[in-house]
Amino acid sequence: MTSTLRTIAVCLLAFGATTAFGQATLTVTDTSTQTISRFIYGHFAEDLGRCIYDGFWVDDSMKVPRKDRIRLDVVEALKRIKVPDLRWPGGCFADQYHWSDGIGPRAQRPTRVNTTWGMIPDDNSFGTHEFLELCGLIGCEPYIAGNVGSGTPQEMENWLEYLNYGGKSTLSAQRAANGHPAPYKVSLWGVGNESWGCGGSMTPEFYTDQFKRYGEFCKDYPGTHLKKIASGPNSDDYHWTEVCMQRIPAWDMYALSMHYYTVVGDWDHKGSATRFGEDEYFTGMRKCMFMDTLVRKHSAIMDKYDPAKRVALAVDEWGIWTDAEPGTNPAFLYQQNSLRDALIAATTLNIFNNHCDRVRMANLAQAINVLQALILTKGARMVLTPTYYVFELYKVHQDARWIPISLNSPDYTYNGQSIPAVNASASRDQQGRVHISLVNLDPNKEVTVSANIQALHVRSMSQEVLTSAHFTDINTLDEPNKIRPLASTAEPLSGDSLSVTLPPASIVVVELRP
């Protein structure tokens, strides 16, 4: 396989009851040198609801495999999808968290009130060492968000010395006394979180001064280069991005964060996670696709000040946010997870893949029992959600070479509004295999994909599909395998032709082997 220009012309024919849905083309140009960073596939674990406590960190009497109180069946599930990094302790909680509360003998740690999420007591039994042990077990990098809202530069400086200094000092000796003589070498570091809101209700002008003030005391200790991530805009606040890029030097900022949630209703009535019709389904898909507009517009602003793209756009909170499940604490943000959510995840990851020149970090909110979770638990039982399986299918894109695509898709039309029915992204891994991830958002019609693959010299192919009978379908503790990837029978290769059928409301990942 050479790196010469390759084009796959794909004809998409969708069929309704009796009428052809139309035709479109997908063009793939295999000349890119861009890499899809594995950190696009990151996750988020806030001290919120049942994510940490009763999620990752369980009572020592619970009869599940554990390391200390870390739940190992959860760890193994996250290892399988190659989680690259985990963000902690927040979220909004980060700007009320004081790291020294969570070190030392657990019986001596203070109990604080989590004023952000439910006014509940927090015994701080899960702190710095426990989080870094969790990351070590998963095999991922820690991404820590420091406290700018209620903390001080001194507090942040001390935390970093405690984490990363390997020489002789009071703080490094304290770390050793607490069980870890070697420095942790934490690199990914958030300087605050949502500073425009729960992190301090700041203006961008004030925040950029705070970033430079706090950042001055965030040191590179020997063996660890700190990657400082600035608290960026809320959704379409393009002014915030403009000010940050104007006032913070590119050399001082590894990434600028951006947060966007798919909210089907409004913030007071977000909609149900399980009881919705095609009207809300369509709205969810349309709002999910707004991520592409956000990335394009924020990237354009960043390009003005950083044409070399030194600063990454880190979408470190994203996903669908619905009303909490009935009967649960609304402050815990526990929601079920349907096929709709999987389609949102797959579409969003396709967007990130296709903007991998600027989007080099992202973190789904959140890993367990909160918002668009990968895993739901109840006591000793756990279930993997449809969203989990999207990350399992898409892990083939991690650190693979991005292949640009151009898609002219047929429309999915509902109630006079239209969005593209199909979205896609593609990459080539280090073994030369091409993976094309295709999403059909139309819940009523299948799409047949036909391709001329002569230039790829394909010897064989396989495909997996994730779908279900209805977009409200979910996995439950009693029916955990309702939605999971299945190897599907592909049309046999016929000369240089490829044919793939996308069922209604489905995700299909095709592997083409040279």
Side-chain angles (χ1 to χ4, degrees), residues 148-287:
V148 170
S150 67
T152 65
Q154 178 73 65
E155 182 179 17
M156 190 174 291
E157 181 182 39
N158 286 353
W159 198 2
L160 281 163
E161 182 183 328
Y162 182 90
L163 289 166
N164 290 346
Y165 184 53
K168 292 183 178 180
S169 78
T170 298
L171 287 169
S172 63
Q174 187 179 19
R175 182 192 65 236
N178 289 332
H180 205 277
Y184 280 112
K185 298 185 178 181
V186 173
S187 180
L188 297 171
W189 192 262
V191 184
N193 167 78
E194 293 191 359
S195 298
W196 40 266
C198 62
S201 296
M202 303 177 192
T203 65
E205 291 79 9
F206 184 81
Y207 171 72
T208 52
D209 286 343
Q210 295 305 298
F211 177 90
K212 288 183 281 189
R213 179 185 178 215
Y214 280 72
E216 181 64 30
F217 300 97
C218 296
K219 305 298 185 182
D220 283 350
Y221 289 96
T224 307
H225 172 63
L226 202 65
K227 297 176 180 177
K228 291 181 284 187
I229 299 158
S231 177
N234 176 25
S235 185
D236 58 354
D237 186 352
Y238 303 115
H239 175 66
W240 189 284
T241 297
E242 188 93 37
V243 172
C244 286
M245 295 304 297
Q246 279 180 334
R247 292 168 59 101
I248 301 174
W251 54 262
D252 198 32
M253 176 171 50
Y254 173 74
L256 180 69
S257 74
M258 189 268 283
H259 293 176
Y260 175 69
Y261 287 95
T262 298
V263 177
V264 174
D266 56 41
W267 282 101
D268 293 325
H269 303 284
K270 302 176 189 70
S272 171
T274 56
R275 296 185 177 184
F276 55 90
E278 191 172 353
D279 54 345
E280 290 180 86
Y281 171 85
F282 180 88
T283 299
M285 296 303 114
R286 179 176 56 80
K287 288 189 172 183

Side-chain angles (χ1 to χ4, degrees), residues 110 151 173 177 180 223 243 250 262 324 329 337 340 350 468 503:
H180 205 277
V243 172
T262 298
N329 187 331
N337 194 290
R340 173 185 68 176
N350 280 343
S468 193

Side-chain angles (χ1 to χ4, degrees), residues 359-376:
V359 180
R360 300 196 291 274
M361 282 188 69
N363 298 80
L364 176 72
Q366 294 189 15
I368 308 180
N369 293 328
V370 172
L371 297 176
Q372 190 172 350
L374 300 173
I375 300 169
L376 303 177

Side-chain angles (χ1 to χ4, degrees), residues 323-510:
D323 293 330
E325 286 298 291
T328 66
N329 187 331
F332 285 7
L333 307 187
Y334 177 83
Q335 64 188 52
Q336 248 293 353
N337 194 290
S338 69
L339 177 61
R340 173 185 68 176
D341 302 348
L343 294 163
I344 286 174
T347 298
T348 302
L349 291 171
N350 280 343
I351 291 169
F352 294 160
N353 289 348
N354 289 326
H355 290 285
C356 62
D357 59 333
R358 184 65 81 175
V359 180
R360 300 196 291 274
M361 282 188 69
N363 298 80
L364 176 72
Q366 294 189 15
I368 308 180
N369 293 328
V370 172
L371 297 176
Q372 190 172 350
L374 300 173
I375 300 169
L376 303 177
T377 67
K378 184 176 181 181
R381 303 172 72 191
M382 62 172 279
V383 64
L384 304 177
T385 69
T387 296
Y388 173 90
Y389 290 116
V390 171
F391 280 84
E392 183 176 59
L393 286 172
Y394 275 49
K395 67 185 179 184
V396 294
H397 292 304
Q398 291 190 27
D399 286 339
R401 182 165 57 80
W402 173 63
I403 297 178
I405 63 173
S406 177
L407 175 65
N408 179 18
S409 170
D411 285 337
Y412 161 37
T413 300
Y414 178 80
N415 199 23
Q417 298 185 73
S418 296
I419 58 174
V422 177
N423 62 80
S425 65
S427 67
R428 183 185 297 279
D429 67 18
Q430 294 181 356
Q431 289 73 44
R433 296 169 298 195
V434 172
H435 295 97
I436 304 175
S437 48
L438 298 153
V439 181
N440 179 14
L441 299 179
D442 193 317
N444 305 308
K445 300 176 181 178
E446 70 178 22
V447 176
T448 299
V449 180
S450 301
N452 183 325
I453 55 172
Q454 180 178 9
L456 290 177
H457 306 292
V458 173
R459 295 177 182 271
S460 62
M461 67 165 289
S462 60
Q463 63 188 49
E464 290 186 277
V465 60
L466 186 70
T467 190
S468 193
H470 198 268
F471 48 64
T472 57
D473 286 349
I474 60 175
N475 289 340
T476 66
L477 293 170
D478 295 324
E479 195 174 4
N481 297 318
K482 189 178 186 69
I483 305 173
R484 63 182 304 160
L486 297 173
S488 63
T489 303
E491 293 292 327
L493 293 173
S494 176
D496 297 321
S497 296
L498 167 71
S499 180
V500 179
T501 297
L502 310 182
S506 68
I507 301 144
V508 176
V509 176
V510 178

Side-chain angles (χ1 to χ4, degrees), residues 98-117:
H98 300 282
W99 70 272
S100 58
D101 289 345
I103 60 171
R106 290 175 195 153
Q108 298 175 21
R109 297 181 191 179
T111 295
R112 306 294 188 193
V113 179
N114 187 334
T115 58
T116 301
W117 301 114

